[in-house]
């Protein structure tokens, strides 16, 4: 008698707020940093929803796999570090 492996629940759709236009006149580095922070937050939220509650659990591979599953481009190493920092902050909140 074979027993079916348990399936993981699907992530709920993460509703996002309506996007606002970016303020004009800032240096390019500001926009890059801002977009990196937004991406890191989206990834951190998705990881927290999937049961990753400690930075040690969030390897670059896992963060990049989560990015694919939520439909964003693969993050850089810098963004992965930012994701782990956000998860660390959430765990200590």
């Amino acid at each position: 008698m074979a027993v079916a492996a348990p399936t993981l629940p699907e992530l709920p759709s993460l509703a996002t707020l309506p996007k606002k236009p970016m303020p004009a006149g800032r240096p390019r580095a500001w926009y890059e940093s801002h977009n990196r922070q937004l991406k890191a937050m989206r990834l951190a939220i998705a990881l927290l929803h999937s049961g990753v509650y400690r930075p040690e659990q969030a390897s670059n591979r896992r963060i990049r796999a989560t990015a694919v599953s939520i439909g964003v481009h693969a993050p850089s190493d810098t963004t992965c570090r930012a994701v782990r920092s956000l998860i660390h902050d959430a765990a200590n909140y």
Side-chain angles (χ1 to χ4, degrees):
M1 179 174 185
V3 177
T7 58
L8 294 175
E10 289 193 27
L11 290 175
S13 86
L14 301 173
T16 59
L17 296 173
K19 293 184 179 183
K20 298 178 191 174
M22 299 284 275
R26 305 270 176 130
R28 181 176 179 84
W30 184 89
Y31 296 107
E32 290 171 357
S33 173
H34 182 73
N35 287 331
R36 184 183 311 276
Q37 291 170 3
L38 292 177
K39 185 179 205 175
M41 279 192 272
R42 283 193 296 272
L43 288 166
I45 290 168
L47 286 164
L48 289 168
H49 279 273
S50 68
V52 175
Y53 300 113
R54 293 190 328 238
E56 306 85 45
Q57 296 173 311
S59 65
N60 286 359
R61 179 177 285 168
R62 189 167 201 173
I63 293 170
R64 289 184 175 119
T66 302
V68 169
S69 71
I70 65 171
V72 298
H73 288 285
S76 66
D77 291 342
T78 304
T79 304
C80 289
R81 280 193 301 273
V83 170
R84 283 189 287 276
S85 176
L86 288 169
I87 291 172
H88 178 268
D89 292 346
N92 292 329
Y93 187 73

